[in-house]
Amino acid sequence: MARGKMLQAALLVSLWLGLVEGTNPGFVGRITAKGLDYARQEGVAALQKELATIQLPDFSGSFKVKHFHHIDYKFYRLKIRSFQLPSSTIAPVPNVGLKVSVTNAFAEVSGEWRVKKKRVLSDHGSFDLKVEGLSISVGLKLGNDSAGRLTADTSACSTHVSSVHVHIHSKWSWLYNLFDSRIASALRKAMEDQ
């Protein structure tokens, strides 16, 4: 999700800065630290604006509870309430392209949830989710095709999430919140695998 938007921002930046290499380029540009910083600021602003409209995918799974065996859960209608990108960088990588990094990001998400255990248990409600210490790093391999048009491929993507906190709301929330560490761990793993 965020990787794709950072890729788009970096691609637009590279076009804007004149990184296009062709057989006969119309001009040659120099990328300065000041230019990369400007591109980073504009990219972050565009990314934060875009994140306000993104529809997050549903998340489901199951976990084992004594005497109940496996309980199925689903989180859906996920909506980003806030997202902060306190630290980001765009740096050139010689003979490769760019490295785009976001560190120590923070997100708050809300949505609906449902649990089900065949005919024994069924409940639903709302939830709040806090993601802290989110780090995303994307390597962009820049080049050109046979027609001289700019190409960009991701060369190295990584995501790390320091912590996820889930708070479930319902009449039985005190019971479900006993299992929030299992759910938070599964959500964290799903985010890092994306």
Side-chain angles (χ1 to χ4, degrees):
M1 161 185 81
R3 288 186 206 147
K5 295 302 173 191
M6 290 299 282
L7 174 64
Q8 288 175 352
L11 186 58
L12 289 172
V13 166
S14 64
L15 283 170
W16 180 73
L17 292 175
L19 287 175
V20 177
E21 293 179 10
T23 53
N24 188 10
F27 66 93
V28 176
R30 179 182 295 189
I31 301 172
T32 64
K34 188 175 180 179
L36 283 175
D37 188 52
Y38 175 76
R40 179 195 58 79
Q41 290 173 6
E42 291 299 312
V44 166
L47 179 61
Q48 285 184 314
K49 194 174 191 180
E50 185 69 25
L51 284 171
T53 64
I54 287 179
Q55 180 66 38
L56 298 173
D58 295 348
F59 175 81
S60 60
S62 65
F63 58 89
K64 190 173 182 175
V65 178
K66 231 180 203 181
H67 307 295
F68 282 103
H69 300 284
H70 289 280
I71 295 178
D72 299 320
Y73 60 88
K74 181 176 182 176
F75 290 85
Y76 57 99
R77 293 187 189 142
L78 284 75
K79 175 81 173 149
I80 298 174
R81 288 191 336 231
S82 69
F83 194 90
Q84 297 174 4
L85 303 168
S87 178
S88 59
T89 60
I90 297 178
V93 178
N95 301 320
V96 177
L98 297 171
K99 180 179 179 182
V100 180
S101 300
V102 173
T103 56
N104 206 23
F106 171 84
E108 289 182 332
V109 177
S110 60
E112 304 293 319
W113 64 270
R114 176 176 56 228
V115 297
K116 197 175 202 180
K117 172 62 179 161
K118 294 192 181 182
R119 288 175 229 134
V120 179
L121 172 69
S122 180
D123 200 4
H124 60 89
S126 63
F127 73 93
D128 295 308
L129 172 73
K130 289 184 182 180
V131 179
E132 297 172 326
L134 174 63
S135 298
I136 302 168
S137 179
V138 180
L140 299 175
K141 184 178 179 183
L142 301 176
N144 57 346
D145 63 13
S146 60
R149 293 179 298 237
L150 179 67
T151 60
D153 292 314
T154 55
S155 59
C157 296
S158 65
T159 304
H160 175 73
V161 177
S162 294
S163 64
V164 175
H165 304 282
V166 180
H167 186 76
I168 295 173
H169 307 283
S170 83
K171 66 180 179 181
W172 297 99
S173 61
W174 63 269
L175 177 63
Y176 301 129
N177 285 321
L178 294 174
F179 304 105
D180 69 346
S181 63
R182 289 184 187 178
I183 295 168
S185 178
L187 284 166
R188 181 176 155 204
K189 182 173 178 359
M191 284 186 267
E192 289 181 340
D193 289 346
Q194 299 243 340

